[in-house]
Amino acid sequence: MLVRIRDTSRVVSLCGLVCVPALMAATAVYQVTTVAGSDSVGDGGVALIAQLAQPEGLAIDTSGNIYVADAANHRVRKVTAAGTISTVAGNGHPGFAGDNGPAQASQLNQPYGLVLDPQGNLFVADYGNQRVRRIGTDGNITTIAGTGQSGSGGDGGQATAASFMGPRNLAMDAAGDLFVSEFDGHRVRRITPDGLIGTVAGTGIAGFSGDGGPATAAQLAYPAGLAVDGGGSLYIVDTFNVSIRKVRAGIISTVCNQQRFGMPYVKLLSISADTAGNLYIPEAGNSFVWRMNPAGVLARVAGTPGGGAYTGDGQPATQTALNVPADVALDSAGNLYISETRRVRIVIAATGIMNTVAGDGTFGFSGDGGQELDAVLNTPTGVAVWDGSIYIADQNNNRVRQVSAAGTITTVAGNGQASYAGDGLVATSGALNGPTSLVFDAGGNLYIADTRNNRVRRVDTTGVMTTFAGDGTISGFGGEGQPATLTPLYAPQGLVAGAAGDIYISDTGHDRVIRVDTTGNMHTVAGTGTPGSVGAGGTSSLPQLNGPTGLALDGAGNLYIADTLNHRVLMLAPDATISTIAGTSASGYSGDGGPAIAAALSYPGGVTVDANLDIYITDSGNNVVRLITPDGTIATIAGTGQAAYIGDSGAGLTIALSDPCGLAVVRTGTVLVADSGNNRVRSLTQEQTQITPPQLIAVTLANAASLQPGPLAPGEIFSIFGAGIGPAAASTNSYDASGHLPTTLGNVQVLFNTTPAPLFYVQAGQINAQVPYEMAGQPSAQLEVMYQSALVASTQVALADTSPALFTLNYGTGNAVVVNQDGTLNSDQNPAARGSFVVLYATGSGQSNPGGVTGQAAGAPYPVPNLPVSLTMAGISANVLWAGGAPGFVGLLQINAQVPSGFVPTGDLPLVLTVGPYQSVGGVTIAVK
């Protein structure tokens, strides 16, 4: 069954084939400098007052050093026997980098399991990078298993050429065999000392079966913790089956299940074994740790009924509460170490007393009273400047913080608790809930968008806080001219102060902008209260808005509105004329060097304007800051387009931003940006210099759907990222007279060996192209980028038969691009019904039948992949009705499938596409009802 969708162009835009952000040289060059925020988590100090984000795997060496996988902080930490903590791997930002160099300078992505070998080498399950890595005794890090591609391929070969699906936990036996649990692949793999890999348990299909038979024929469901006892038996925590499985001489059995614990809500994730054959099992559902002796008898060794909160140290472990224990480990003296929420604890073998060895129970806030560059912020979203100080809406710390002219940071509003309290009291004793935006009026009073409290708060010049607008409810819109304190607000996210003392508020959830006059009464100035995009470009002051956020005013009284979910910026003039000044109302990235009204934006969040009438926009979905000059021309001035952390200072187009939000003008040519995903506030300062393109440009490659690196497949749509690899102004493709994509576009060519690749899109920082089908069967190729007849980049690329990836709505993760049976785009608001038919889109399916023709749009007879195609939702096979070339598109695979019915759960279900032995990356979902 071949299903055509009604709006294919919408899917192409969402797929990112021509709209992923690219670098661009700007005539005005900006320098980025961090002015507040750091990655400080206590390294070099006492472990008891350090911060741990998500301690998971533990390992103890013979000297008593404790190694902790700090998963959400993307680090591996070390606590010495003297109690000092440091980072041994990872820089605190997710990513993959640093192989064959110092581990401290590397990047990890959600490290979970740890194990040490007898020589002191530390092995890390780098879950988010689909790799296992080793930190040698020399401090260098290398990958010893996994290509970074999601899948369960490679058995029988070298582990470095194998693929994984969520390597989570590790164990090692006396022979040096390393066992790896594939949480999302429902298997346990073994890596031999000579580097070969194979499966020792699990079929790769989630389920429960096989006891009494070969472990490789048994079904597991999301295996996690692993342990090897003194006799060489392997124990597996079969998480979704709430069981402990044992593999002995290749035969699998169950040694413990939920019924054995005799309590509800049992959740098992990890396990450890001592030399006497006892198993130690942390149970997260009830916050206990259990010991099971060789006879199978369970005894609670840590945690107390009613646990889940920290109750202190120095008491017997069985009388001390634990807070969701995650992993356990034993040292040579039999002391038991437990990782729990933001702490690591120890149970002394000789006394049974529990103490904390690392973590103060917090994460994401520190530094008050010290220097701003040592402080820790947690999702800063708004910034304001007043009297030489910088003010920051530190959203997830539920505070407003001030950086003085001397560089000292303090809290000026909020006590850190996510609540509503404190009106009439000093602001620091009151409670905020997710503040997002700040503004000062002419008298120095501070206004705070207290977003999750559905209010705007005011801190006067004496430091007292009151509610300025919002009654705490979200139902209804209030009456025009009524007091603002009696007006329902819904997640307000933008503020600006007028010259006459009026305060403008983005009532984001109500899709409108209101004004509070100097008497405290409310008036609607834009938005009908119904989400939409009708009305801009006329003289009505009430066009439809959709999730407005950032606001700004210029000296002439023009109000600028970031109409975020409409992907545009509007201007409301004093005469009530409203117009679009940037954005096409479709999410994308394009237009630099041309008129802003023809440029594509993606979820613009912040907007501000300086005295020269330069307008700055945080193009949040594209992870860049863009500038509109008074002549209406738009340019990117900061950000690489990738949500990442690269450094704290440098040329604006070389420093990555991550979900930039609020903006504030310091002076003409200098603005502040809340770099929320990097937990920093940055300064952008204009410099009158030009960027000189390098002679030889380093490039990175990624699948256009997943935006992940890895081998490329014949026919795959992929992206090349670099600086200066094409023209400043973007060029997009059009078919030639023969119906093929061009292989030269914007004076750019991409060659695989000597074969030219069809081009979709070229610009200074990004090229989207198709891998020629002529590459089928080749293990690698030399990729060259030619610009203006000159070689500007050259790199060796690995090739594979397939490299499937599903297109998503959010750059590689989250909701897939899925067209529901009724023609709507799948989302949490438009879930697919169980048993209904859906259409999905992917790339990287490899050679087809009939054979794929490079650069040619799919037409009848529509090609189908040579290798079999399957699809799972929440691990349950979906009926694939048809999979083949998307009509009229190059390199795009269309999958028509049926959502499983019966026992398939509802909600956001993990979605995995398999073509032959290769599987798509994790983190992709479909909404099902």
Side-chain angles (χ1 to χ4, degrees):
M1 180 178 73
L2 178 62
V3 178
R4 290 180 182 269
I5 63 170
R6 292 182 295 180
D7 188 0
T8 312
S9 62
R10 184 183 185 198
V11 171
V12 172
S13 175
L14 290 168
C15 289
L17 300 189
V18 296
C19 65
V20 178
L23 296 173
M24 172 177 170
T27 54
V29 176
Y30 281 74
Q31 192 77 10
V32 172
T33 305
T34 294
V35 297
S38 74
D39 298 318
S40 176
V41 285
D43 281 350
V46 177
L48 289 173
I49 59 174
Q51 294 189 338
L52 299 173
Q54 184 189 341
E56 293 283 348
L58 299 171
I60 320 296
D61 68 16
T62 56
S63 299
N65 297 305
I66 309 164
Y67 296 87
V68 185
D70 195 358
N73 199 20
H74 313 290
R75 302 171 186 254
V76 175
R77 316 285 291 278
K78 176 183 176 181
V79 180
T80 67
T84 300
I85 195 167
S86 62
T87 292
V88 297
N91 64 4
H93 297 271
F96 175 75
D99 261 7
N100 304 311
Q104 289 179 324
S106 68
Q107 281 185 289
L108 306 172
N109 192 349
Q110 292 182 288
Y112 270 81
L114 301 177
V115 72
L116 285 156
D117 69 12
Q119 291 74 42
N121 299 297
L122 180 66
F123 296 81
V124 183
D126 196 357
Y127 178 84
N129 282 324
Q130 309 291 355
R131 291 172 166 90
V132 178
R133 302 171 82 177
R134 179 182 62 213
I135 303 168
T137 55
D138 60 358
N140 289 336
I141 191 168
T142 56
T143 294
I144 61 113
T147 62
Q149 190 85 352
S150 179
S152 286
D155 277 2
Q158 288 293 314
T160 50
S163 55
F164 286 98
M165 290 187 66
R168 179 165 175 139
N169 289 78
L170 304 174
M172 183 173 285
D173 66 15
D177 291 324
L178 179 66
F179 297 90
V180 185
S181 61
E182 274 193 90
F183 189 72
D184 303 306
H186 316 297
R187 304 175 190 262
V188 176
R189 316 278 290 275
R190 175 174 57 203
I191 303 167
T192 62
D194 56 359
L196 297 178
I197 192 168
T199 296
V200 296
T203 63
I205 299 172
F208 182 85
S209 68
D211 274 0
T216 52
Q219 285 181 291
L220 307 172
Y222 299 94
L226 301 174
V228 178
D229 68 14
S233 295
L234 173 67
Y235 295 88
I236 305 166
V237 177
D238 195 356
T239 302
F240 276 35
N241 288 321
V242 197
S243 298
I244 307 296
R245 315 286 290 272
K246 176 181 178 180
V247 179
R248 178 69 177 172
I251 303 301
I252 194 167
S253 61
T254 297
V255 298
C256 187
N257 57 23
Q258 180 170 358
Q259 288 71 31
R260 296 285 301 278
F261 291 94
M263 61 180 62
Y265 314 118
V266 172
K267 183 177 182 181
L268 307 178
L269 290 172
S270 64
I271 192 168
S272 186
D274 66 17
T275 55
N278 297 298
L279 300 178
Y280 293 81
I281 307 165
E283 193 278 295
N286 297 281
S287 292
F288 295 147
V289 175
W290 298 86
R291 180 178 60 221
M292 188 172 77
N293 68 17
V297 176
L298 283 167
R300 178 168 53 90
V301 295
T304 186
Y310 181 70
T311 58
D313 290 329
Q315 299 297 318
T318 54
Q319 298 174 25
T320 304
L322 291 172
N323 191 353
V324 192
D327 204 353
V328 289
L330 294 149
D331 65 16
S332 57
N335 299 309
L336 176 67
Y337 296 82
I338 306 167
S339 60
E340 63 167 4
T341 303
R342 296 183 174 172
R343 286 183 173 89
V344 176
R345 316 288 286 277
I346 184 174
V347 180
I348 306 298
T351 64
I353 299 298
M354 181 186 290
N355 288 306
T356 299
V357 294
D360 66 359
T362 70
F363 186 80
F365 173 79
S366 72
D368 270 6
Q371 289 296 295
E372 76 278 34
L373 294 179
D374 296 324
V376 176
L377 308 174
N378 195 345
T379 320
T381 53
V383 285
V385 177
W386 182 257
D387 196 25
S389 292
I390 299 169
Y391 292 78
I392 304 166
D394 196 357
Q395 184 183 50
N396 287 339
N397 280 323
N398 303 298
R399 300 171 185 261
V400 176
R401 303 175 78 178
Q402 175 190 6
V403 177
S404 71
T408 302
I409 190 167
T410 55
T411 294
V412 295
N415 59 15
Q417 302 301 310
S419 182
Y420 172 72
D423 276 359
L425 303 177
V426 174
T428 51
S429 65
L432 303 170
N433 194 350
T436 57
S437 183
L438 307 172
V439 74
F440 284 88
D441 66 17
N445 301 296
L446 170 66
Y447 298 82
I448 306 165
D450 194 2
T451 302
R452 295 176 191 143
N453 279 325
N454 301 304
R455 292 174 167 90
V456 175
R457 314 288 285 277
R458 178 178 183 265
V459 180
D460 66 21
T461 54
T462 69
V464 173
M465 184 161 65
T466 54
T467 293
F468 174 76
D471 63 2
T473 68
I474 63 173
S475 179
F477 300 98
E480 291 294 318
Q482 78 170 18
T485 53
L486 301 179
T487 301
L489 299 179
Y490 191 177
Q493 292 187 49
L495 299 171
V496 70
D502 298 350
I503 301 296
Y504 294 81
I505 303 169
S506 281
D507 190 5
T508 305
H510 283 147
D511 304 296
R512 65 178 182 169
V513 176
I514 65 173
R515 175 177 62 87
V516 181
D517 63 29
T518 54
T519 64
N521 295 324
M522 182 278 292
H523 311 272
T524 301
V525 298
T528 64
T530 301
S533 60
V534 177
T539 57
S540 168
S541 65
L542 295 176
Q544 285 183 300
L545 305 176
N546 196 352
T549 54
L551 299 174
L553 279 164
D554 65 20
N558 296 301
L559 176 68
Y560 300 88
I561 305 169
D563 192 8
T564 302
L565 298 185
N566 279 327
H567 311 290
R568 63 185 181 180
V569 177
L570 306 178
M571 185 181 77
L572 177 64
D575 64 0
T577 301
I578 193 158
S579 58
T580 299
I581 63 165
T584 62
S585 295
S587 176
Y589 180 89
S590 67
D592 275 356
I597 57 172
L601 309 175
S602 183
Y603 302 99
V607 60
T608 194
V609 58
D610 68 16
N612 284 346
L613 298 184
D614 289 323
I615 302 166
Y616 300 84
I617 302 166
T618 51
D619 195 355
S620 304
N622 287 321
N623 299 295
V624 297
V625 177
R626 303 178 82 174
L627 168 68
I628 304 173
T629 52
D631 63 1
T633 301
I634 193 169
T636 298
I637 61 170
T640 66
Q642 303 303 301
Y645 172 79
I646 292 177
D648 281 316
S649 62
L653 296 178
T654 67
I655 298 296
L657 305 174
S658 180
D659 190 23
C661 292
L663 294 163
V665 173
V666 178
R667 56 183 176 275
T668 300
T670 298
V671 296
L672 299 174
V673 56
D675 188 6
S676 64
N678 283 323
N679 296 314
R680 284 161 166 76
V681 174
R682 314 277 197 142
S683 170
L684 309 183
T685 303
Q686 185 175 331
E687 295 184 352
Q688 300 302 320
T689 59
Q690 296 293 320
I691 297 174
T692 302
Q695 295 299 310
L696 186 60
I697 299 168
V699 294
T700 57
L701 311 179
N703 182 294
S706 68
L707 296 183
Q708 295 295 313
L712 302 179
E716 176 183 337
I717 306 168
F718 74 104
S719 297
I720 306 170
F721 298 101
I725 56 176
S731 294
T732 56
N733 67 285
S734 59
Y735 293 106
D736 62 21
S738 65
H740 288 74
L741 286 179
T743 55
T744 300
L745 182 64
N747 290 318
V748 173
Q749 271 193 316
V750 175
L751 304 175
F752 281 77
N753 297 333
T754 58
T755 303
L759 302 175
F760 295 91
Y761 172 92
V762 299
Q763 199 188 29
Q766 178 181 331
I767 299 168
N768 293 339
Q770 183 193 29
V771 180
Y773 282 105
E774 289 83 352
M775 296 300 103
Q778 299 188 38
S780 63
Q782 191 68 26
L783 180 143
E784 295 181 339
V785 179
M786 308 290 295
Y787 177 45
Q788 296 179 335
S789 301
L791 177 66
V792 296
S794 180
T795 187
Q796 187 82 5
V797 297
L799 301 173
D801 292 336
T802 74
S803 181
L806 289 158
F807 285 102
T808 68
L809 301 177
N810 188 32
Y811 305 121
T813 60
N815 211 120
V817 176
V818 181
V819 180
N820 294 326
Q821 186 167 319
D822 62 2
T824 61
L825 195 63
N826 184 268
S827 67
D828 289 340
Q829 290 72 41
N830 294 300
R834 287 180 285 189
S836 66
F837 300 99
V838 294
V839 181
L840 306 92
Y841 294 88
T843 192
S845 57
Q847 188 54 278
S848 61
N849 182 27
V853 178
T854 301
Q856 185 179 74
Y862 294 102
V864 298
N866 283 343
L867 295 172
V869 176
S870 61
L871 187 72
T872 63
M873 300 179 186
I876 300 171
S877 294
N879 182 19
V880 175
L881 305 170
W882 185 84
F889 283 92
V890 173
L892 194 63
L893 178 71
Q894 177 174 319
I895 305 112
N896 302 335
Q898 185 177 23
V899 178
S901 55
F903 294 105
V904 67
T906 59
D908 293 333
L909 307 185
L911 192 61
V912 177
L913 172 68
T914 302
V915 182
Y918 300 96
Q919 294 182 315
S920 58
V921 298
V924 179
T925 60
I926 180 173
V928 173
K929 62 181 179 181

